[in-house]
Amino acid sequence: WILFESIYSPLFIFAPPLFLMQRPLPPMLSLREVLRVCQVTHPTKLNHRFILHEHVNADLAKSMSVEQKVVVEIGPAVGGLTRACLQANARQVIAVESNKVFLPTLTVLKSRDNQLEAPFVPIIADPPELNYLEVLRKNSPHLKPMEWENETEQPPVVVAINAPMGPCLKMLDLCIANVAKKTGFYHYGRTPVYLMLPTIIAERVMSRPGVRKFNGLSVLVQNYFQVERIRKMQKGNFVPEPTTGTAWIRLTPHISPLSDCHFLALKQFCHMVFTGKRKMLRTVLMQSGRSADWVQQFCEEHRVSDTIRAEGLPIGAIGALAQAWDKVKHSGRCGAPDEVDTRTEYDW
């Protein structure tokens, strides 16, 4: 008895109470279990591609550096990446899912909650319609804003987007709008955003001027973000398997945008010069009712040839042209009729 007391008594004295011990996550559901819980017969009926391989999700969470950060996950589906972030010691995961059939698979993770702050908050809502600043203030009141110019410390929030194509592109639009106004995720600093995109879209986002794939989306994203491809995903990683390749990319906000042009004016100008057959600037601008001489003078003022196509211009030059064109459009210059500025919040 003396020997037993000398060995095991310290363990009982210093052992933490059971309610403070972190409960392990429940086991990951198999595909068959996911179909049964979601009450569907085939993965394609879920309208969402998700990853069940735990090692792949763990690699994605590691690439995001989520330790002690608040993770906002858009499109968690069955919660594979959610689980990986919790296992990587994320301080909190706020998962926004639009498809209610995934709610049973997400509520399973609520068993990890503690008494102080729920590390996992599932929200069923349309992701592009949420006010993420209000969501973070409500669920993560401990967060404090960081200086935008701070490059020594990492922002306390990380965003991961793995949603179907439509909501994913709308979330990309929302990111552009919010980073321009430093609101939403970006209220807390230069928050990195990770997106799962089809390779063809990812290449457009990353394309540089002078390349055929360079388009308006390239301009809008790169004007505000540094774009990096973190990982090329394999088709077999997803359920159901996609028909095209997929890339995991990171968007890190610039300290200052490449152009100070209003993001709506930049978007409208890019839509005008990149849509269709991508004609020369002279042809595109003349379609708005301006004369050839006026267009030539306008381009000369901004040191741009009127015979160049938009994909041959650097992003800064496109931004300067868009800003000048926006002023012309709303000032009635050169006899053009005055137009009412109907710009409101960012909206497709």
Side-chain angles (χ1 to χ4, degrees):
W1 175 253
I2 295 174
L3 180 63
F4 175 85
E5 268 200 333
S6 63
I7 296 175
Y8 291 101
S9 291
L11 298 180
F12 289 103
I13 294 173
F14 295 105
L18 289 177
F19 71 88
L20 291 179
M21 296 179 67
Q22 191 179 72
R23 286 171 287 182
L25 290 172
M28 184 69 186
L29 298 178
S30 66
L31 177 58
R32 180 176 295 180
E33 291 170 330
V34 169
L35 298 179
R36 178 177 55 81
V37 171
C38 296
Q39 300 180 355
V40 296
T41 57
H42 196 273
T44 55
K45 296 186 177 181
L46 294 172
N47 298 321
H48 197 299
R49 291 187 172 89
F50 48 88
I51 301 174
L52 291 177
H53 301 289
E54 293 190 41
H55 69 280
V56 176
N57 284 313
D59 289 344
L60 296 179
K62 183 179 179 180
S63 70
M64 295 164 58
S65 303
V66 300
E67 187 173 358
Q68 293 304 309
K69 295 181 182 178
V70 174
V71 180
V72 180
E73 185 183 4
I74 311 299
V78 298
L81 182 58
T82 309
R83 180 187 305 269
C85 290
L86 292 172
Q87 291 173 335
N89 295 322
R91 180 165 184 174
Q92 186 182 39
V93 178
I94 300 174
V96 182
E97 177 57 59
S98 60
N99 195 341
K100 293 182 180 180
V101 300
F102 291 119
L103 185 59
T105 65
L106 296 176
T107 51
V108 172
L109 299 176
K110 290 292 289 180
S111 62
R112 171 85 184 276
D113 292 356
N114 56 37
Q115 295 181 352
L116 299 178
E117 180 183 9
F120 175 59
V121 181
I123 299 175
I124 299 297
D126 187 15
E129 300 299 324
L130 278 182
N131 184 325
Y132 288 92
L133 181 55
E134 292 183 1
V135 169
L136 289 169
R137 283 175 172 170
K138 177 182 177 181
N139 296 286
S140 307
H142 64 276
L143 289 176
K144 303 297 181 184
M146 284 182 57
E147 293 291 334
W148 192 259
E149 294 79 13
N150 190 341
E151 297 189 71
T152 58
E153 299 179 20
Q154 294 185 351
V157 180
V158 178
V159 180
I161 303 176
N162 181 24
M165 180 54 56
C168 187
L169 291 179
K170 289 181 179 179
M171 282 303 304
L172 184 56
D173 295 341
L174 185 64
C175 289
I176 295 171
N178 284 350
V179 75
K181 297 182 287 186
K182 298 180 182 178
T183 187
F185 316 127
Y186 307 105
H187 176 74
Y188 300 99
R190 294 165 55 223
T191 300
V193 175
Y194 294 79
L195 294 100
M196 195 73 72
L197 291 175
T199 303
I200 187 172
I201 303 297
E203 288 177 350
R204 290 184 181 277
V205 170
M206 296 185 293
S207 292
R208 300 298 180 186
V211 179
R212 182 63 182 173
K213 292 180 181 179
F214 182 74
N215 65 356
L217 183 61
S218 315
V219 175
L220 287 168
V221 174
Q222 294 179 35
N223 185 58
Y224 297 102
F225 299 97
Q226 178 185 351
V227 186
E228 303 170 82
R229 178 159 56 185
I230 305 301
R231 175 172 177 158
K232 182 179 179 181
M233 306 298 296
Q234 303 296 323
K235 294 181 181 180
N237 295 150
F238 296 92
V239 177
E241 188 172 310
T243 56
T244 60
T246 309
W248 180 242
I249 68 172
R250 175 171 59 207
L251 307 181
T252 306
H254 297 306
I255 293 179
S256 299
L258 303 183
S259 170
D260 293 331
C261 180
H262 191 283
F263 62 92
L264 275 179
L266 182 60
K267 179 183 176 181
Q268 292 168 359
F269 186 78
C270 287
H271 183 269
M272 179 175 66
V273 299
F274 283 103
T275 301
K277 297 181 179 180
R278 300 194 182 187
K279 301 174 182 178
M280 294 183 295
L281 281 180
R282 178 176 56 196
T283 306
V284 174
L285 298 182
M286 285 176 60
Q287 289 176 349
S288 63
R290 270 66 181 186
S291 66
D293 293 338
W294 184 92
V295 170
Q296 184 178 5
Q297 180 183 355
F298 175 80
C299 292
E300 287 177 354
E301 287 178 0
H302 297 90
R303 300 178 181 180
V304 172
S305 171
D306 61 345
T307 59
I308 196 172
R309 288 178 170 82
E311 67 240 33
L313 291 171
I315 295 174
I318 294 175
L321 284 173
Q323 192 170 27
W325 184 258
D326 187 60
K327 291 179 180 179
V328 168
K329 192 171 64 171
H330 297 103
S331 66
R333 179 182 170 189
C334 292
D338 290 348
E339 300 178 35
V340 178
D341 189 351
T342 57
R343 293 177 304 186
T344 55
E345 294 300 317
Y346 194 76
D347 184 16
W348 269 107

